[in-house]
C-alpha cells in the first residue's frame, strides 16, 4: 500500500498512530497536546485545510505526518511512528515524501516546530538538512512554559 494522502475518513487511523507514537510524552512536562486530540478534531481538521500522509506496511498503518500548505511552504507536525517500528527510517522516508509533495505543489520551504527538550527529534531534522531558524517559549493552556525551536529547510 505504501504512502497514501489521507482524507477525513482516515481520521481514526491518523489518531491511532499518533496516540501510539506520542504516548511516550504522556509524563512529559507538559504532556503533549497530541494526547488530548480526538478523532473528531482530526476529522474536522482534515475537512478544512489540514492534510496527512499515512505509511502502511503489509496493510498496517505504521507512521503518519500531518501538514498544511501555505502560499510558499509546507508546515508539518505530529510526525508519528508507532513504537515497534521506530528506528527503521520510516520518519525520514515520510519527510522525504512530504518534501517531494511540497515541491510538486510549487512550495519553496518546509517547516516544523520541535520541543527543545527532545534533542533526538532536532537531530532527526538536522540530518535531513533542516536548520533552527527561531527559538521561542510557548505557554500552554495549563500555564507551563515550553521552549520550542522552529526548523526550516529550503526545498
Amino acid at each position: 500500500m505504501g504512502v497514501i494522502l489521507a482524507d477525513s475518513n482516515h481520521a481514526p487511523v491518523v489518531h491511532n498512530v499518533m496516540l501510539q507514537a506520542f504516548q511516550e510524552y504522556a509524563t512529559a512536562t507538559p504532556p503533549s497536546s497530541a494526547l488530548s486530540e480526538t478523532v473528531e478534531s482530526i476529522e474536522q481538521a482534515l475537512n478544512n485545510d489540514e492534510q496527512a500522509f499515512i505509511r502502511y506496511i503489509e496493510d498496517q498503518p505504521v507512521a503518519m505526518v500531518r501538514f498544511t500548505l501555505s502560499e510558499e511552504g509546507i508546515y508539518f507536525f505530529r510526525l508519528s511512528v508507532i513504537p515497534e517500528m521506530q528506528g527503521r527510517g520510516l520518519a525520514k522516508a515520510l519527510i522525504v515524501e512530504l518534501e517531494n509533495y511540497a515541491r510538486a505543489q510549487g512550495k519553496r520551504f518546509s517547516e516544523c516546530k520541535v520541543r527543545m527538550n527532545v534533542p533526538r527529534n532536532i537531530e532527526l531534522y538536522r540530518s535531513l538538512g533542516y536548520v533552527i531558524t527561531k527559538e521561542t517559549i510557548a505557554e500552554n493552556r495549563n500555564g507551563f512554559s515550553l521552549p520550542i525551536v522552529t526548523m526550516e529547510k529550503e526545498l
Side-chain angles (χ1 to χ4, degrees):
M1 203 171 195
V3 176
I4 66 159
L5 183 59
D7 61 34
S8 61
N9 293 323
H10 294 101
V13 174
V14 169
H15 184 254
N16 185 351
V17 171
M18 181 185 70
L19 285 186
Q20 287 182 64
F22 277 78
Q23 195 57 47
E24 70 179 282
Y25 302 113
T27 59
T29 304
S32 173
S33 60
L35 298 170
S36 62
E37 290 195 64
T38 64
V39 171
E40 293 76 23
S41 67
I42 294 169
E43 181 178 13
Q44 185 176 19
L46 290 171
N47 276 325
N48 291 311
D49 65 346
E50 186 178 297
Q51 299 181 65
F53 279 123
I54 304 170
R55 167 82 162 129
Y56 287 84
I57 294 179
E58 297 178 5
D59 296 327
Q60 295 300 310
V62 295
M64 75 87 197
V65 63
R66 293 163 60 188
F67 61 94
T68 58
L69 297 171
S70 66
E71 191 172 313
E72 294 189 10
I74 189 167
Y75 171 72
F76 70 91
F77 54 99
R78 304 287 199 239
L79 177 63
S80 305
V81 177
I82 62 173
E84 59 269 26
M85 297 299 286
Q86 291 177 4
R88 299 181 187 195
L90 294 173
K92 284 184 178 183
L94 205 49
I95 293 171
V96 169
E97 184 83 24
L98 180 85
E99 292 170 354
N100 289 338
Y101 179 78
R103 281 186 201 93
Q105 304 295 317
K107 305 308 174 191
R108 297 186 312 107
F109 68 89
S110 177
E111 177 182 65
C112 66
K113 293 184 180 176
V114 186
R115 287 181 181 218
M116 288 176 74
N117 65 350
V118 187
R120 71 179 180 160
N121 289 351
I122 293 171
E123 287 310 309
L124 166 70
Y125 301 128
R126 277 192 174 136
S127 75
L128 290 164
Y130 286 77
V131 296
I132 294 173
T133 58
K134 189 170 160 187
E135 294 183 15
T136 57
I137 303 291
E139 298 289 331
N140 84 346
R141 61 181 171 267
N142 296 324
F144 288 104
S145 295
L146 185 60
I148 294 192
V149 294
T150 299
M151 299 187 76
E152 281 187 22
K153 176 181 179 179
E154 282 190 35
L155 301 174

